[in-house]
Amino acid sequence: MITLHLFYTGENGNARKFADEMESSGLADLIRKEPGNLRYEYYQPFADPETVLLIDAWEDQKAIDEHHASPMMQKIAEMRERYDLHMKVERFVSENLGTDASFVRR
């Protein structure tokens, strides 16, 4: 699994407005239904009201590449531009927890 943390930052609440529009327009739901998507959720940090965090998880790189090639990416890019958002991205590749599993309470 590949997980991306996308931090959208803007001014005057624009990051939150962007996330709200992604949800209300149905774009977020369309992404959640794409083959290989495992998670697509927005969060807002308590300490930074001008930033929204998107946690976006995919089965593999092929699923991400297909998502990036989809027509909806142009719509998302246009929305980011309209809201004048800047982005920071962190990428994580999951692996077996191994011995760390004993510390995870389920």
Side-chain angles (χ1 to χ4, degrees):
M1 175 172 67
I2 300 170
T3 302
L4 304 169
H5 288 183
L6 292 91
F7 296 86
Y8 292 102
T9 302
E11 295 179 356
N12 301 314
N14 279 349
R16 177 60 189 252
K17 292 172 191 172
F18 166 80
D20 287 342
E21 185 173 340
M22 285 292 295
E23 292 293 344
S24 67
S25 71
L27 274 173
D29 282 332
L30 289 174
I31 294 168
R32 291 179 186 112
K33 293 175 184 173
E34 285 187 284
N37 183 266
L38 303 173
R39 184 175 188 187
Y40 194 88
E41 297 175 355
Y42 290 98
Y43 298 89
Q44 192 160 32
F46 285 109
D48 186 358
E50 295 299 340
T51 295
V52 167
L53 165 65
L54 168 62
I55 299 179
D56 190 15
W58 299 85
E59 287 178 357
D60 53 27
Q61 186 61 49
K62 180 179 182 280
I64 294 171
D65 292 342
E66 289 174 4
H67 167 64
H68 286 161
S70 72
M72 75 180 76
M73 283 305 296
Q74 180 62 36
K75 292 178 186 175
I76 295 168
E78 289 169 1
M79 286 175 56
R80 286 192 308 241
E81 190 68 26
R82 184 165 27 96
Y83 286 108
D84 192 24
L85 299 179
H86 300 276
M87 297 170 62
K88 181 178 89 171
V89 179
E90 298 173 344
R91 179 183 173 102
F92 306 93
V93 178
S94 297
E95 51 187 62
N96 187 330
L97 286 175
T99 58
D100 292 335
S102 65
F103 296 100
V104 176
R105 182 172 184 233
R106 299 210 186 256

